[in-house]
Coordinates of all heavy atoms in Angstrom, one line a residue:
M1 N -3.1 -8.3 -10.2 CA -2.0 -9.2 -9.9 C -0.9 -8.4 -9.2 O -0.3 -8.9 -8.2 CB -1.5 -9.9 -11.1 CG -0.5 -11.0 -10.8 SD -1.3 -12.3 -9.9 CE 0.1 -13.4 -9.9
A2 N -0.5 -7.3 -9.8 CA 0.6 -6.5 -9.2 C 0.2 -6.0 -7.8 O 1.1 -5.9 -6.9 CB 0.9 -5.3 -10.1
G3 N -1.0 -5.6 -7.6 CA -1.5 -5.2 -6.3 C -1.4 -6.3 -5.2 O -1.0 -6.0 -4.1
T4 N -1.7 -7.5 -5.6 CA -1.7 -8.6 -4.7 C -0.2 -9.0 -4.3 O 0.1 -9.2 -3.1 CB -2.3 -9.9 -5.3 OG1 -3.7 -9.5 -5.7 CG2 -2.4 -11.0 -4.4
I5 N 0.6 -8.9 -5.3 CA 2.1 -9.2 -5.0 C 2.6 -8.1 -4.1 O 3.3 -8.4 -3.1 CB 2.8 -9.3 -6.3 CG1 2.4 -10.5 -7.1 CG2 4.3 -9.3 -6.1 CD1 3.0 -10.6 -8.5
T6 N 2.3 -6.9 -4.4 CA 2.7 -5.8 -3.5 C 2.2 -5.9 -2.1 O 2.9 -5.7 -1.1 CB 2.3 -4.4 -4.1 OG1 2.7 -4.3 -5.4 CG2 2.8 -3.3 -3.3
A7 N 0.9 -6.4 -1.9 CA 0.4 -6.6 -0.6 C 1.1 -7.6 0.2 O 1.4 -7.5 1.3 CB -1.1 -6.9 -0.7
F8 N 1.5 -8.8 -0.5 CA 2.2 -9.8 0.1 C 3.6 -9.4 0.5 O 4.1 -9.7 1.6 CB 2.3 -11.1 -0.8 CG 1.0 -11.9 -0.8 CD1 0.4 -12.2 -2.0 CD2 0.4 -12.2 0.4 CE1 -0.7 -13.0 -2.0 CE2 -0.8 -12.9 0.4 CZ -1.4 -13.3 -0.8
L9 N 4.3 -8.6 -0.4 CA 5.6 -8.1 -0.1 C 5.6 -7.2 1.1 O 6.5 -7.2 2.0 CB 6.2 -7.4 -1.3 CG 6.6 -8.3 -2.4 CD1 7.0 -7.5 -3.6 CD2 7.7 -9.3 -2.0
I10 N 4.6 -6.3 1.2 CA 4.5 -5.4 2.3 C 4.2 -6.1 3.6 O 4.8 -5.8 4.7 CB 3.5 -4.3 2.1 CG1 4.0 -3.3 1.0 CG2 3.1 -3.5 3.3 CD1 3.0 -2.3 0.5
T11 N 3.4 -7.1 3.6 CA 3.1 -7.9 4.7 C 4.3 -8.6 5.2 O 4.6 -8.7 6.4 CB 2.0 -8.9 4.4 OG1 0.8 -8.2 3.9 CG2 1.6 -9.8 5.6
Y12 N 5.1 -9.2 4.3 CA 6.3 -9.9 4.6 C 7.3 -8.9 5.2 O 8.0 -9.2 6.2 CB 6.9 -10.6 3.4 CG 8.2 -11.3 3.7 CD1 8.2 -12.6 4.3 CD2 9.4 -10.8 3.3 CE1 9.3 -13.3 4.6 CE2 10.6 -11.5 3.5 CZ 10.5 -12.7 4.2 OH 11.7 -13.4 4.4
W13 N 7.4 -7.7 4.7 CA 8.3 -6.7 5.2 C 8.0 -6.3 6.6 O 8.9 -6.2 7.5 CB 8.3 -5.5 4.2 CG 9.2 -4.4 4.5 CD1 10.5 -4.4 5.0 CD2 8.9 -3.0 4.3 NE1 11.0 -3.2 5.1 CE2 10.1 -2.3 4.7 CE3 7.8 -2.3 3.9 CZ2 10.1 -0.9 4.6 CZ3 7.9 -0.9 3.8 CH2 9.0 -0.2 4.2
F14 N 6.7 -6.1 6.9 CA 6.3 -5.8 8.3 C 6.6 -7.0 9.2 O 7.0 -6.8 10.3 CB 4.8 -5.5 8.3 CG 4.5 -4.0 8.1 CD1 4.7 -3.4 6.9 CD2 4.0 -3.3 9.1 CE1 4.4 -2.1 6.7 CE2 3.7 -1.9 9.0 CZ 3.9 -1.3 7.7
Y15 N 6.4 -8.2 8.7 CA 6.6 -9.4 9.6 C 8.1 -9.5 9.9 O 8.4 -9.7 11.1 CB 6.2 -10.7 8.8 CG 6.3 -11.9 9.6 CD1 5.2 -12.4 10.4 CD2 7.4 -12.7 9.5 CE1 5.3 -13.5 11.1 CE2 7.6 -13.9 10.2 CZ 6.5 -14.3 11.0 OH 6.6 -15.4 11.8
K16 N 9.0 -9.4 8.9 CA 10.4 -9.5 9.2 C 10.9 -8.3 10.1 O 11.8 -8.5 10.9 CB 11.2 -9.5 7.9 CG 11.0 -10.8 7.2 CD 11.2 -12.0 8.0 CE 12.4 -12.8 7.6 NZ 12.6 -14.0 8.5
S17 N 10.4 -7.1 9.9 CA 10.7 -6.0 10.7 C 10.3 -6.2 12.2 O 11.0 -5.8 13.1 CB 10.1 -4.7 10.2 OG 10.6 -4.4 8.9
A18 N 9.1 -6.8 12.3 CA 8.7 -7.1 13.7 C 9.5 -8.1 14.4 O 9.8 -8.0 15.6 CB 7.2 -7.5 13.7
E19 N 9.9 -9.1 13.7 CA 10.8 -10.1 14.2 C 12.2 -9.5 14.7 O 12.7 -9.8 15.7 CB 11.1 -11.3 13.2 CG 10.0 -12.3 13.1 CD 10.4 -13.4 12.1 OE1 11.3 -13.2 11.3 OE2 9.8 -14.5 12.3
A20 N 12.7 -8.6 13.8 CA 14.0 -8.0 14.1 C 13.9 -7.0 15.3 O 14.9 -6.8 16.0 CB 14.5 -7.2 12.9
T21 N 12.7 -6.4 15.6 CA 12.6 -5.5 16.6 C 12.0 -6.1 17.9 O 11.8 -5.4 18.9 CB 11.8 -4.2 16.2 OG1 10.5 -4.7 15.8 CG2 12.5 -3.5 15.1
G22 N 11.6 -7.3 17.8 CA 11.0 -7.9 19.0 C 9.5 -7.7 19.2 O 9.0 -7.9 20.3
K23 N 8.8 -7.2 18.2 CA 7.4 -6.9 18.3 C 6.6 -8.2 17.8 O 7.3 -9.1 17.3 CB 7.0 -5.7 17.4 CG 7.5 -4.4 18.0 CD 6.9 -3.3 17.2 CE 7.4 -2.0 17.8 NZ 6.5 -0.9 17.7
N24 N 5.4 -8.2 18.1 CA 4.5 -9.3 17.6 C 4.5 -9.4 16.1 O 3.9 -8.5 15.5 CB 3.1 -9.2 18.2 CG 2.3 -10.4 17.9 OD1 2.6 -11.2 17.0 ND2 1.1 -10.5 18.6
P25 N 5.1 -10.4 15.5 CA 5.1 -10.4 14.0 C 3.8 -10.6 13.3 O 3.5 -9.9 12.3 CB 6.0 -11.7 13.7 CG 6.6 -12.1 14.9 CD 5.8 -11.5 16.1
L26 N 2.9 -11.4 13.9 CA 1.6 -11.5 13.2 C 0.7 -10.3 13.3 O 0.1 -9.9 12.3 CB 0.8 -12.7 13.8 CG 1.4 -14.1 13.5 CD1 0.6 -15.2 14.2 CD2 1.5 -14.3 12.0
F27 N 0.8 -9.6 14.4 CA 0.0 -8.3 14.6 C 0.6 -7.3 13.6 O -0.1 -6.6 13.0 CB 0.1 -7.9 16.0 CG -0.6 -6.6 16.3 CD1 -1.9 -6.5 16.3 CD2 0.2 -5.4 16.5 CE1 -2.6 -5.3 16.5 CE2 -0.4 -4.2 16.7 CZ -1.8 -4.1 16.7
S28 N 1.9 -7.2 13.6 CA 2.6 -6.2 12.7 C 2.3 -6.5 11.2 O 2.1 -5.6 10.4 CB 4.1 -6.2 13.0 OG 4.3 -5.7 14.3
A29 N 2.3 -7.8 10.9 CA 2.0 -8.2 9.5 C 0.6 -7.8 9.1 O 0.4 -7.3 8.0 CB 2.3 -9.7 9.3
G30 N -0.3 -8.0 10.0 CA -1.7 -7.6 9.8 C -1.8 -6.1 9.7 O -2.6 -5.6 8.8
L31 N -1.1 -5.3 10.5 CA -1.1 -3.9 10.4 C -0.5 -3.4 9.0 O -1.0 -2.5 8.4 CB -0.3 -3.2 11.5 CG -1.0 -3.2 12.9 CD1 0.0 -2.5 13.9 CD2 -2.3 -2.4 12.8
G32 N 0.5 -4.1 8.6 CA 1.1 -3.8 7.3 C 0.2 -4.0 6.2 O 0.0 -3.2 5.3
F33 N -0.5 -5.2 6.2 CA -1.5 -5.5 5.2 C -2.6 -4.5 5.1 O -3.0 -4.0 4.1 CB -2.0 -6.9 5.4 CG -3.0 -7.3 4.4 CD1 -2.6 -7.7 3.1 CD2 -4.4 -7.4 4.7 CE1 -3.6 -8.1 2.1 CE2 -5.3 -7.7 3.7 CZ -4.9 -8.1 2.5
L34 N -3.1 -4.1 6.3 CA -4.2 -3.2 6.4 C -3.8 -1.8 6.0 O -4.6 -1.0 5.4 CB -4.9 -3.2 7.7 CG -5.7 -4.5 8.1 CD1 -6.2 -4.4 9.5 CD2 -6.8 -4.7 7.1
S35 N -2.6 -1.4 6.4 CA -2.1 -0.1 6.0 C -1.9 0.1 4.5 O -1.8 1.2 4.0 CB -0.8 0.2 6.8 OG 0.3 -0.6 6.3
Y36 N -1.8 -1.0 3.8 CA -1.7 -1.0 2.3 C -3.1 -1.1 1.7 O -3.5 -0.4 0.8 CB -0.9 -2.1 1.8 CG -0.9 -2.3 0.3 CD1 -0.2 -1.5 -0.5 CD2 -1.7 -3.3 -0.2 CE1 -0.3 -1.6 -1.9 CE2 -1.8 -3.5 -1.6 CZ -1.1 -2.7 -2.4 OH -1.1 -2.8 -3.8
L37 N -3.9 -2.0 2.3 CA -5.2 -2.3 1.7 C -6.2 -1.2 1.8 O -6.9 -0.9 0.8 CB -5.8 -3.6 2.3 CG -7.1 -4.1 1.7 CD1 -7.0 -4.5 0.3 CD2 -7.7 -5.2 2.6
I38 N -6.3 -0.6 3.0 CA -7.4 0.4 3.2 C -7.2 1.6 2.3 O -8.1 2.1 1.6 CB -7.4 0.8 4.7 CG1 -8.0 -0.4 5.5 CG2 -8.3 2.0 4.9 CD1 -8.0 -0.3 7.0
P39 N -5.9 2.2 2.2 CA -5.8 3.3 1.2 C -6.0 2.9 -0.2 O -6.5 3.7 -1.0 CB -4.3 3.7 1.4 CG -3.9 3.3 2.8 CD -4.7 2.0 3.0
C40 N -5.7 1.7 -0.6 CA -6.0 1.2 -1.9 C -7.4 1.2 -2.2 O -7.9 1.6 -3.3 CB -5.4 -0.2 -2.1 SG -3.6 -0.3 -2.3
I41 N -8.2 0.7 -1.3 CA -9.7 0.6 -1.5 C -10.3 2.0 -1.5 O -11.1 2.3 -2.4 CB -10.3 -0.2 -0.4 CG1 -10.0 -1.7 -0.5 CG2 -11.8 -0.1 -0.4 CD1 -10.4 -2.6 0.6
V42 N -9.8 2.9 -0.6 CA -10.4 4.3 -0.6 C -10.0 5.0 -1.9 O -10.9 5.6 -2.5 CB -9.8 5.0 0.6 CG1 -10.1 6.5 0.5 CG2 -10.4 4.5 1.9
W43 N -8.8 4.8 -2.4 CA -8.4 5.5 -3.6 C -9.2 4.9 -4.8 O -9.7 5.7 -5.7 CB -6.9 5.2 -3.9 CG -6.4 5.8 -5.2 CD1 -6.4 5.2 -6.4 CD2 -5.8 7.1 -5.3 NE1 -5.8 6.1 -7.3 CE2 -5.4 7.2 -6.7 CE3 -5.5 8.1 -4.5 CZ2 -4.9 8.3 -7.2 CZ3 -4.9 9.3 -5.0 CH2 -4.6 9.4 -6.3
T44 N -9.4 3.6 -4.9 CA -10.1 3.0 -6.0 C -11.5 3.4 -6.0 O -12.1 3.6 -7.1 CB -10.0 1.4 -5.8 OG1 -8.6 1.1 -5.9 CG2 -10.7 0.8 -7.0
L45 N -12.1 3.6 -4.8 CA -13.6 4.0 -4.8 C -13.8 5.5 -5.0 O -14.9 5.9 -5.5 CB -14.2 3.5 -3.5 CG -14.3 2.0 -3.3 CD1 -14.8 1.6 -2.0 CD2 -15.1 1.3 -4.4
T46 N -12.8 6.3 -4.6 CA -13.1 7.7 -4.6 C -12.4 8.5 -5.8 O -13.0 9.3 -6.4 CB -12.7 8.4 -3.3 OG1 -11.3 8.1 -3.1 CG2 -13.5 7.8 -2.2
V47 N -11.1 8.1 -6.1 CA -10.4 8.9 -7.0 C -10.4 8.3 -8.4 O -10.5 9.0 -9.4 CB -8.9 9.1 -6.5 CG1 -8.1 9.9 -7.5 CG2 -8.9 9.8 -5.2
T48 N -10.2 7.0 -8.5 CA -10.1 6.3 -9.8 C -11.2 6.6 -10.7 O -11.0 6.8 -11.9 CB -9.9 4.8 -9.6 OG1 -8.7 4.6 -8.8 CG2 -9.7 4.1 -10.9
P49 N -12.5 6.6 -10.3 CA -13.6 6.8 -11.3 C -13.4 8.2 -12.0 O -13.6 8.2 -13.2 CB -14.8 6.8 -10.5 CG -14.5 5.9 -9.3 CD -13.1 6.2 -9.0
G50 N -13.0 9.2 -11.3 CA -12.8 10.5 -12.0 C -11.6 10.5 -12.9 O -11.7 11.1 -14.0
L51 N -10.6 9.8 -12.5 CA -9.4 9.7 -13.4 C -9.7 8.9 -14.7 O -9.3 9.2 -15.8 CB -8.3 9.0 -12.7 CG -7.6 9.8 -11.5 CD1 -6.5 9.0 -10.8 CD2 -7.0 11.1 -12.1
R52 N -10.5 7.8 -14.5 CA -10.9 7.0 -15.7 C -11.7 7.8 -16.7 O -11.6 7.7 -17.9 CB -11.6 5.8 -15.3 CG -10.8 4.7 -14.7 CD -11.5 3.4 -14.5 NE -10.8 2.5 -13.7 CZ -9.9 1.7 -14.2 NH1 -9.5 1.7 -15.4 NH2 -9.3 0.8 -13.4
D53 N -12.6 8.7 -16.1 CA -13.4 9.5 -17.0 C -12.5 10.5 -17.8 O -12.8 10.7 -19.0 CB -14.4 10.3 -16.1 CG -15.4 11.1 -17.0 OD1 -15.9 10.5 -18.0 OD2 -15.6 12.3 -16.7
A54 N -11.5 11.0 -17.1 CA -10.6 12.0 -17.8 C -9.8 11.2 -18.9 O -9.6 11.8 -20.0 CB -9.7 12.6 -16.8
V55 N -9.4 10.0 -18.6 CA -8.6 9.3 -19.6 C -9.5 8.9 -20.8 O -9.0 8.8 -21.9 CB -8.0 8.0 -18.9 CG1 -7.4 7.1 -20.0 CG2 -6.9 8.5 -17.9
E56 N -10.8 8.6 -20.6 CA -11.6 8.3 -21.7 C -11.7 9.4 -22.7 O -11.9 9.1 -23.9 CB -13.0 7.9 -21.2 CG -13.1 6.6 -20.5 CD -14.5 6.3 -20.0 OE1 -15.5 7.1 -20.4 OE2 -14.7 5.3 -19.3
H57 N -11.6 10.6 -22.3 CA -11.6 11.8 -23.2 C -10.3 12.0 -23.9 O -10.3 12.8 -24.8 CB -12.1 13.0 -22.5 CG -13.5 12.9 -21.9 ND1 -14.6 12.7 -22.7 CD2 -13.9 12.9 -20.6 CE1 -15.6 12.6 -21.9 NE2 -15.3 12.7 -20.6
N58 N -9.3 11.4 -23.4 CA -8.0 11.6 -24.0 C -7.3 10.2 -24.1 O -6.3 10.0 -23.4 CB -7.1 12.6 -23.2 CG -5.9 13.0 -23.9 OD1 -5.7 12.7 -25.1 ND2 -5.0 13.7 -23.2
P59 N -7.8 9.3 -25.0 CA -7.2 8.0 -25.0 C -5.8 8.0 -25.7 O -5.4 8.9 -26.4 CB -8.2 7.2 -25.9 CG -8.9 8.2 -26.7 CD -8.9 9.5 -25.9
G60 N -5.1 6.9 -25.5 CA -3.8 6.7 -26.1 C -2.6 7.4 -25.4 O -1.6 7.5 -25.9
T61 N -2.9 7.9 -24.2 CA -1.8 8.5 -23.4 C -1.3 7.6 -22.3 O -1.9 6.6 -22.0 CB -2.3 9.8 -22.8 OG1 -3.3 9.5 -21.9 CG2 -2.8 10.8 -23.9
L62 N -0.2 8.0 -21.8 CA 0.4 7.2 -20.7 C -0.4 7.3 -19.4 O -0.2 6.5 -18.5 CB 1.8 7.6 -20.5 CG 2.8 6.5 -20.2 CD1 2.9 5.6 -21.5 CD2 4.2 7.1 -19.9
S63 N -1.3 8.3 -19.4 CA -2.1 8.5 -18.1 C -3.0 7.3 -17.9 O -3.4 7.0 -16.7 CB -2.9 9.8 -18.2 OG -3.7 9.7 -19.3
G64 N -3.4 6.5 -18.9 CA -4.2 5.3 -18.7 C -3.5 4.3 -17.9 O -4.0 3.6 -17.0
L65 N -2.2 4.2 -18.1 CA -1.4 3.2 -17.3 C -1.3 3.7 -15.8 O -1.4 2.9 -14.9 CB 0.0 3.1 -17.9 CG 1.0 2.1 -17.2 CD1 0.4 0.7 -17.4 CD2 2.4 2.2 -17.8
F66 N -1.2 5.0 -15.6 CA -1.1 5.6 -14.3 C -2.4 5.3 -13.6 O -2.4 4.9 -12.4 CB -0.8 7.1 -14.3 CG -1.0 7.8 -13.0 CD1 -0.1 7.6 -12.0 CD2 -2.1 8.5 -12.7 CE1 -0.2 8.2 -10.8 CE2 -2.3 9.1 -11.5 CZ -1.4 9.0 -10.5
V67 N -3.6 5.5 -14.2 CA -4.9 5.3 -13.6 C -5.0 3.9 -13.2 O -5.6 3.6 -12.1 CB -6.0 5.7 -14.6 CG1 -7.3 5.3 -14.1 CG2 -6.0 7.2 -14.8
N68 N -4.5 2.9 -14.0 CA -4.7 1.5 -13.6 C -3.9 1.1 -12.4 O -4.2 0.2 -11.7 CB -4.4 0.6 -14.8 CG -5.5 0.7 -15.9 OD1 -6.6 1.0 -15.6 ND2 -5.1 0.5 -17.1
Y69 N -2.7 1.7 -12.2 CA -1.8 1.3 -11.1 C -1.5 2.3 -10.0 O -0.7 2.1 -9.2 CB -0.5 0.8 -11.7 CG -0.7 -0.4 -12.6 CD1 -0.7 -0.3 -14.0 CD2 -1.0 -1.6 -12.1 CE1 -0.9 -1.4 -14.8 CE2 -1.2 -2.7 -12.8 CZ -1.1 -2.6 -14.2 OH -1.3 -3.7 -15.0
A70 N -2.2 3.4 -10.1 CA -2.0 4.5 -9.1 C -2.3 4.0 -7.7 O -1.7 4.4 -6.7 CB -2.8 5.7 -9.4
Y71 N -3.3 3.1 -7.5 CA -3.7 2.7 -6.2 C -2.5 1.9 -5.5 O -2.4 2.0 -4.3 CB -4.9 1.8 -6.3 CG -4.7 0.4 -6.8 CD1 -4.5 -0.7 -6.0 CD2 -4.7 0.2 -8.2 CE1 -4.2 -2.0 -6.5 CE2 -4.4 -1.1 -8.7 CZ -4.2 -2.2 -7.9 OH -4.0 -3.4 -8.4
I72 N -1.7 1.3 -6.3 CA -0.5 0.6 -5.7 C 0.4 1.6 -5.2 O 1.0 1.4 -4.0 CB 0.1 -0.3 -6.8 CG1 -0.8 -1.4 -7.3 CG2 1.4 -0.9 -6.3 CD1 -0.3 -2.2 -8.4
L73 N 0.7 2.6 -5.9 CA 1.6 3.7 -5.4 C 1.1 4.3 -4.1 O 1.8 4.5 -3.2 CB 1.9 4.7 -6.5 CG 2.5 4.2 -7.7 CD1 2.6 5.4 -8.8 CD2 3.9 3.7 -7.4
V74 N -0.2 4.6 -4.1 CA -0.8 5.2 -2.9 C -0.8 4.3 -1.7 O -0.4 4.7 -0.6 CB -2.3 5.6 -3.2 CG1 -3.0 6.1 -2.0 CG2 -2.3 6.7 -4.3
G75 N -1.1 3.0 -1.9 CA -1.1 2.0 -0.8 C 0.3 1.8 -0.3 O 0.5 1.7 0.9
A76 N 1.2 1.7 -1.2 CA 2.6 1.5 -0.8 C 3.2 2.7 0.0 O 3.9 2.5 1.0 CB 3.5 1.2 -2.0
A77 N 2.9 3.9 -0.5 CA 3.3 5.1 0.2 C 2.7 5.1 1.6 O 3.4 5.5 2.6 CB 2.9 6.3 -0.6
C78 N 1.5 4.8 1.7 CA 0.8 4.8 3.1 C 1.4 3.7 4.0 O 1.7 4.0 5.2 CB -0.7 4.6 2.9 SG -1.5 6.0 2.2
A79 N 1.7 2.5 3.4 CA 2.3 1.5 4.2 C 3.7 1.8 4.6 O 4.1 1.5 5.8 CB 2.3 0.2 3.4
I80 N 4.5 2.5 3.8 CA 5.8 2.9 4.1 C 5.8 3.9 5.3 O 6.5 3.8 6.3 CB 6.6 3.4 2.9 CG1 6.9 2.3 1.9 CG2 7.9 4.2 3.3 CD1 7.4 2.7 0.6
G81 N 4.9 4.9 5.1 CA 4.8 5.9 6.2 C 4.3 5.3 7.5 O 4.9 5.6 8.6
F82 N 3.4 4.3 7.4 CA 2.9 3.7 8.6 C 4.0 2.8 9.3 O 4.1 2.7 10.5 CB 1.7 2.8 8.3 CG 1.0 2.3 9.5 CD1 0.1 3.1 10.3 CD2 1.2 1.0 10.0 CE1 -0.5 2.7 11.4 CE2 0.5 0.5 11.1 CZ -0.3 1.4 11.8
K83 N 4.8 2.2 8.4 CA 5.9 1.3 9.0 C 6.9 2.1 9.8 O 7.3 1.7 10.9 CB 6.7 0.6 7.8 CG 7.8 -0.3 8.4 CD 8.7 -0.7 7.3 CE 9.8 -1.6 7.8 NZ 10.8 -0.9 8.7
F84 N 7.2 3.3 9.3 CA 8.2 4.1 10.0 C 7.5 4.7 11.3 O 8.2 4.9 12.3 CB 8.7 5.2 9.1 CG 9.7 4.7 8.1 CD1 9.4 4.7 6.8 CD2 10.9 4.1 8.5 CE1 10.3 4.2 5.8 CE2 11.8 3.6 7.6 CZ 11.5 3.6 6.2
L85 N 6.2 4.9 11.3 CA 5.6 5.3 12.5 C 5.5 4.1 13.5 O 5.7 4.3 14.7 CB 4.2 5.8 12.2 CG 4.1 7.2 11.5 CD1 2.7 7.5 11.2 CD2 4.7 8.3 12.4
H86 N 5.1 3.0 13.0 CA 4.9 1.8 13.9 C 6.2 1.3 14.5 O 6.3 0.9 15.7 CB 4.3 0.7 13.1 CG 4.0 -0.6 13.8 ND1 3.1 -0.6 14.9 CD2 4.5 -1.8 13.7 CE1 3.1 -1.9 15.4 NE2 4.0 -2.6 14.7
F87 N 7.3 1.3 13.7 CA 8.6 0.8 14.2 C 9.5 1.9 14.7 O 10.7 1.6 14.9 CB 9.3 0.0 13.1 CG 8.6 -1.3 12.8 CD1 7.8 -1.5 11.7 CD2 8.6 -2.4 13.7 CE1 7.1 -2.6 11.4 CE2 7.9 -3.5 13.5 CZ 7.2 -3.7 12.3
K88 N 9.0 3.1 14.9 CA 9.9 4.2 15.4 C 10.4 3.9 16.8 O 9.6 3.4 17.6 CB 9.1 5.5 15.4 CG 9.9 6.7 15.8 CD 9.1 8.0 15.6 CE 7.9 8.0 16.6 NZ 7.2 9.2 16.7
Q89 N 11.6 4.1 17.0 CA 12.2 3.8 18.3 C 11.7 4.9 19.3 O 11.8 6.1 18.9 CB 13.7 3.8 18.2 CG 14.3 2.7 17.4 CD 14.0 1.3 18.0 OE1 14.0 1.2 19.2 NE2 13.8 0.3 17.2
A90 N 11.4 4.5 20.4 CA 10.9 5.5 21.5 C 12.2 6.2 21.9 O 13.2 5.6 22.3 CB 10.3 4.8 22.6
T91 N 12.1 7.5 22.0 CA 13.2 8.3 22.4 C 13.0 8.6 23.9 O 11.9 8.9 24.4 CB 13.3 9.7 21.7 OG1 12.0 10.4 21.8 CG2 13.6 9.4 20.2
S92 N 14.1 8.5 24.7 CA 14.0 8.7 26.1 C 14.6 10.0 26.5 O 15.5 10.5 26.0 CB 14.7 7.7 26.9 OG 14.5 6.4 26.4

């Protein structure tokens, strides 16, 4: 649920930024959504299984919470980086 809410917020953020800068809002919102979703999927499929295995050997730590929600942090960081690249003002 937290990942879905984050995806919608990032999509909205890209949409409003595109409106403010005169870019195509729907295209930018789609880019924002994908810039969040693709890193989340890659992280979940490649990194999370190894982290879950490590947490199983050491239960009761806060690292279990990190493992469950790390994909959100990774996806959000990638989306933020992509936003600044996508909306960077061209220097003349």
Side-chain angles (χ1 to χ4, degrees):
M1 185 70 174
T4 304
I5 292 170
T6 306
F8 284 129
L9 290 174
I10 288 172
T11 302
Y12 181 75
W13 183 36
F14 270 71
Y15 184 88
K16 289 309 243 179
S17 296
E19 282 184 336
T21 58
K23 292 189 177 208
N24 183 347
L26 291 178
F27 179 73
S28 295
L31 282 178
F33 180 75
L34 291 176
S35 70
Y36 171 77
L37 182 67
I38 291 171
C40 285
I41 291 172
V42 170
W43 179 272
T44 301
L45 295 177
T46 59
V47 178
T48 299
L51 291 175
R52 285 192 192 274
D53 184 48
V55 169
E56 285 179 11
H57 298 299
N58 192 11
T61 61
L62 222 63
S63 59
L65 187 64
F66 170 76
V67 169
N68 289 333
Y69 295 106
Y71 74 96
I72 296 173
L73 297 175
V74 170
C78 290
I80 289 167
F82 191 79
K83 181 193 181 289
F84 288 113
L85 290 175
H86 180 64
F87 291 105
K88 182 174 69 171
Q89 296 293 328
T91 57
S92 316

